[in-house]
Amino acid sequence: MTVNTTPIRTLLIANRGEIARRVIRTARALGIRTVAVYSTPDVRSPHVTDADFAVPIGGASSAESYLMWDKILDAATRTGADAIHPGYGFLSENAEFAEACEAAGIVFVGPDPDSIREMGLKDRAKEWARKAEVPVLLDAVITGEDTDAWTAAAAEVGFPLLVKAVAGGGGKGMRLVERPVDVVEAIAAARREGLNLFGNATVFLERYLSASRHIEIQVFGDKHGNAVHLGERECSIQRRHQKVLEEAPSPVITADVRQRMGATAVSLVRELGYIGAGTVEYLFDDTTGGFYFLEMNTRLQVEHPVTEEVTGLDLVALQLRVARGEQLGFEQSDVQINGHAIEVRLYAEDPAADYAPTPGTLHRYEHPDRAGLRYEDGIAAPSQISSFYDPMIAKIIAHGATRSEAAFTLAAALDGTQVHGVTTNRAFLAALLRDPDYLAGATRTDFLEHHPQLLDPPMSTPWPVHLAAAVATGTARRKASDPTHGLARPGFRPLATRLLTHATWHRAGDSTPLEANYHLGGWSGQTDLTIVVDDESHGFTLSDLTTDSVRINYDGVDYPCTVWTYPDGSVWVNDAGSQSGWHPAPRLPDPDDLAATALGPVNEIPGTVVHIGVKVGDSVTAGQKLVVVEAMKMEHPATAATDGVVEKINVSVGQYVDAHTVLVTLTAPQEEQS
């Protein structure tokens, strides 16, 4: 087979954040000029300054910016781009966009449009899998509006089952159903999400293996008929059907199973005539050794770095090579797996609050650089975690000779990572990596359901130490700026007194006020601090006190702490093992407290209203879902805090609402009003 090669001189990356930066890095190493596109909120994003050229495409939401392919093609034309790399998400699996690139004479760095289209619909993908003799699970496609037919189809598939949008991905448009009574609502929600996110409301039901593992095989095909796999990744630890941690190789896949899974994945590649990078995903039942096709992702995966770390291959470079029409340049026997790699996704989210996104100001983001570590940073500080996009801050990858070595290296890296301004899953990830069951390889898809304690792990450093650091350095700053007493040593008071100073603090991520009374005093050449909280007294001895650091001895242990104070008044404290944020008590009422007087729910973060489940005059009960707001690619239901009657609906479907907006106004039930 003769295939003409196409040079790529200038590459436009139709994406943002860490994947855009990742593609730019390889392109630059290959001598290819790069072009970034950016939305209005991303004007100062690092991917913009990383690229050789950048083109603003306006808009704020994805629909107004990174999904507007006419703007992206215009940017490619104006910058002379030969090729477009779509990254993942957005337009990466959009067959129409791939066709538009071809029509414009621009190389689309990905598979051909037909492959994208066939694999993009999960029901069609399963038909192709059957043709390639890949094992599949029992399923049923849902059509029409007959809810009785929905429940009958569910009964035939069996419980538990998953409802999946046929055009979905990344855990979107998916619902787990364990009881027949929940089928209709789950299907309706998945159809709505599929329509809103992917423009396709069709869903199907699939039997759910509750004690399985999520295993995926990285595949590549070229235009010369070559096809290989690069081993497996295990992605079983998930929240909301979205991956939290990925690793290669899997701790349970043997060489024999790897060969069999890889062979079926390559068979599917050959059946499709697939070109470029792809991932064939399976459920693996480690009690029987059976594996079953889930879907094929026709793009580079978020977790591709772990495959790169254990194979030594640059997958972006391979994508560009195949897109130019060149051969892969190696055979299956050349692929070797060396050591173990683990990736975690550092998110601006609160695991203890059902993984709610936490958009806001990112004051600081710094991490340690050590051997065996790799960071794929999407943002830099100071900046804003936008509510318009996925709240990922970075991917952090560790590679070691063994799985435990990689896990401990990665956990230590998280300990040393400073993320100030927003609540993140940093502590959760570090606790996960050190969990005995994780280290033992017991990582099925229900892992987090059986380990809820990991969602809100206790600090390794006692929390009073960090409060003491905030109080002590704050006092030092005030004294340093005081022209009268600025030269006095820490702890000096103009009057001999044991009077306690009162302050109210909030820990980041916790709305409960913490009333603290403290006394800072010095004698005999040392500084002592006493803090009383809830009638419990905590004593500390301080040394090396400055305006931004202090060594605190508490209960016989020294804790060197570094402290940062930001313009919003927040104080963030780090030591070798822990991080905490502290906020002085607000002087104004919380907006939620004001909104509560209307007996109506408020949305926690900015987003778009996608569903209203009540109408004026309806009686509602506490906990009932009233409105659904979509933000950061997730649906967030707003529920009634108490029984009541809907007096007014303040929003409409499709409306963008700011945080703390009162969505529905409720009044007390009639019997309470009389």
Side-chain angles (χ1 to χ4, degrees):
M1 179 187 298
T2 301
V3 178
N4 294 326
T5 58
T6 303
I8 298 177
R9 303 178 184 87
T10 302
L11 177 69
L12 184 145
I13 299 90
N15 218 294
R16 63 182 299 276
E18 50 83 22
I19 185 57
R21 303 187 76 189
R22 165 71 189 90
V23 175
I24 289 169
R25 187 169 67 246
T26 285
R28 176 168 291 135
L30 296 175
I32 300 172
R33 294 186 297 268
T34 56
V35 179
V37 292
Y38 62 93
S39 65
T40 300
D42 280 343
V43 63
R44 292 182 176 85
S45 177
H47 82 275
V48 177
T49 54
D50 281 359
D52 297 308
F53 309 99
V55 179
I57 53 177
S61 68
S62 301
E64 300 169 318
S65 55
Y66 297 104
L67 291 174
M68 297 287 288
W69 76 55
D70 56 337
K71 294 182 179 181
I72 290 171
L73 289 173
D74 178 65
T77 300
R78 287 191 283 123
T79 55
D82 313 294
I84 291 178
H85 194 301
Y88 50 72
F90 295 136
L91 297 171
S92 63
E93 294 177 286
N94 189 302
E96 288 74 20
F97 177 62
E99 287 174 335
C101 290
E102 290 184 359
I106 297 171
V107 173
F108 177 79
V109 183
D112 65 83
D114 288 340
S115 293
I116 296 174
R117 189 173 286 111
E118 291 296 288
M119 292 297 101
L121 298 175
K122 290 182 171 58
D123 54 340
R124 290 286 298 146
K126 293 187 77 170
E127 291 180 19
W128 279 98
R130 291 185 179 99
K131 288 181 184 179
E133 299 184 350
V134 181
V136 298
L137 288 166
L138 184 64
D139 62 6
V141 178
I142 296 297
T143 58
E145 305 296 329
D146 184 352
T147 56
D148 290 338
W150 297 359
T151 55
E156 184 175 343
V157 170
F159 293 90
L161 59 81
L162 284 174
V163 183
K164 293 183 176 182
V166 297
K172 309 301 188 300
M174 184 183 297
R175 297 290 188 279
L176 172 63
V177 183
E178 299 182 283
R179 306 178 304 165
V181 69
D182 297 324
V183 166
V184 171
E185 182 180 352
I187 290 175
R191 294 180 77 186
R192 183 174 63 246
E193 198 168 32
L195 181 63
N196 290 335
L197 294 179
F198 310 108
N200 189 329
T202 304
V203 302
F204 72 100
L205 312 181
E206 182 177 76
R207 187 65 183 270
Y208 177 67
L209 299 181
S210 57
S212 61
R213 294 175 186 258
H214 187 137
I215 306 293
E216 59 187 33
I217 302 289
Q218 176 71 61
V219 294
F220 259 94
D222 64 23
K223 297 177 183 178
H224 303 266
N226 300 308
V228 298
H229 72 84
L230 306 181
E232 84 281 359
R233 297 184 288 255
E234 177 159 341
C235 312
S236 301
I237 299 181
Q238 303 178 8
R239 50 88 166 130
R240 292 180 169 180
H241 306 294
Q242 290 183 303
K243 299 160 188 174
V244 170
L245 178 151
E246 303 101 344
E247 56 186 308
S250 164
V252 297
I253 298 298
T254 64
D256 174 65
V257 173
R258 180 177 301 118
Q259 188 277 328
R260 288 190 288 117
M261 292 183 81
T264 64
V266 170
S267 175
L268 181 57
V269 169
R270 295 192 185 280
E271 185 74 31
L272 278 168
Y274 187 86
I275 298 168
T279 302
V280 183
E281 303 198 356
Y282 299 88
L283 282 180
F284 176 74
D285 186 342
D286 59 5
T287 61
T288 66
F291 55 89
Y292 308 92
F293 176 80
L294 275 177
E295 62 183 355
M296 182 178 187
N297 291 310
T298 55
R299 54 173 168 79
L300 200 64
Q301 292 282 89
V302 178
E303 57 273 18
H304 76 273
V306 295
T307 296
E308 293 185 323
E309 291 298 316
V310 296
T311 63
L313 297 169
D314 183 327
L315 301 196
V316 175
L318 287 178
Q319 283 187 297
L320 294 171
R321 180 184 299 171
V322 169
R324 289 193 298 251
E326 300 174 18
Q327 296 196 49
L328 281 171
F330 60 91
E331 298 179 353
Q332 189 64 60
S333 59
D334 297 320
V335 178
Q336 300 295 321
I337 307 298
N338 298 304
H340 202 97
I342 307 172
E343 172 183 294
V344 292
R345 305 183 187 193
L346 182 64
Y347 272 99
E349 67 179 16
D350 186 354
D354 197 24
Y355 308 99
T358 55
T361 301
L362 182 68
H363 294 303
R364 180 178 178 83
Y365 169 56
E366 296 290 338
H367 49 67
D369 291 318
R370 299 172 186 157
L373 288 175
R374 169 176 168 180
Y375 297 88
E376 300 286 350
D377 299 328
I379 61 175
S383 63
Q384 289 291 316
I385 304 292
S386 171
S387 63
F388 293 107
Y389 310 114
D390 186 274
M392 184 191 291
I393 296 171
K395 301 181 308 195
I396 309 176
I397 305 99
H399 180 236
T402 64
R403 184 170 181 267
S404 59
E405 179 183 316
F408 286 121
T409 298
L410 189 48
L414 288 161
D415 288 343
T417 298
Q418 299 168 354
V419 193
H420 298 168
V422 296
T423 300
T424 72
N425 62 348
R426 167 189 175 277
F428 156 62
L429 295 173
L432 166 60
L433 287 160
R434 293 186 173 106
D435 181 79
D437 288 338
Y438 170 75
L439 293 171
T443 52
R444 292 174 173 174
T445 53
D446 59 355
F447 183 89
L448 293 180
E449 296 172 25
H450 295 291
H451 297 78
Q453 75 280 3
L454 297 176
L455 304 185
D456 190 18
M459 290 173 54
S460 59
T461 299
W463 67 262
V465 170
H466 281 199
L467 178 58
V471 168
T473 55
T475 303
R477 280 190 297 275
R478 288 192 295 274
K479 288 185 178 295
S481 62
D482 187 331
T484 304
H485 304 295
L487 298 179
R489 61 180 173 80
F492 170 79
R493 287 180 177 272
L495 297 176
T497 177
R498 295 294 293 178
L499 181 67
L500 294 178
T501 300
H502 177 80
T504 302
W505 294 82
H506 293 272
R507 283 187 62 183
D510 187 351
S511 60
T512 305
L514 191 152
E515 305 293 337
N517 297 290
Y518 65 90
H519 169 76
L520 184 65
W523 53 88
S524 303
Q526 65 182 13
T527 302
D528 292 332
L529 174 64
T530 300
I531 299 179
V532 180
V533 179
D534 294 334
D535 297 325
E536 183 177 358
S537 181
H538 304 271
F540 312 88
T541 301
L542 314 181
S543 58
D544 303 330
L545 175 59
T546 71
T547 58
D548 55 15
S549 63
V550 61
R551 179 179 291 269
I552 295 180
N553 184 282
Y554 179 65
D555 198 22
V557 179
D558 278 5
Y559 298 91
C561 297
T562 308
V563 183
W564 288 263
T565 301
Y566 297 101
D568 63 359
S570 64
V571 179
W572 290 79
V573 184
N574 285 86
D575 61 34
S578 295
Q579 172 182 284
S580 65
W582 300 86
H583 303 265
R587 300 189 179 191
L588 297 174
D590 188 279
D592 285 342
D593 295 336
L594 296 176
T597 63
L599 293 179
V602 297
N603 57 311
E604 296 295 329
I605 62 175
T608 301
V609 176
V610 295
H611 178 66
I612 298 174
V614 292
K615 59 183 182 298
V616 172
D618 283 357
S619 295
V620 300
T621 58
Q624 181 177 337
K625 185 189 302 182
L626 306 182
V627 177
V628 178
V629 175
E630 190 215 73
M632 294 177 135
K633 297 185 179 180
M634 288 189 284
E635 287 193 351
H636 304 271
T639 59
T642 183
D643 294 351
V645 177
V646 178
E647 180 181 83
K648 183 181 179 182
I649 297 174
N650 304 311
V651 296
S652 58
V653 172
Q655 178 181 345
Y656 181 83
V657 290
D658 293 324
H660 309 299
T661 298
V662 180
L663 303 171
V664 176
T665 301
L666 303 179
T667 58
Q670 293 297 319
E671 58 270 21
E672 295 183 17
Q673 296 179 4
S674 58

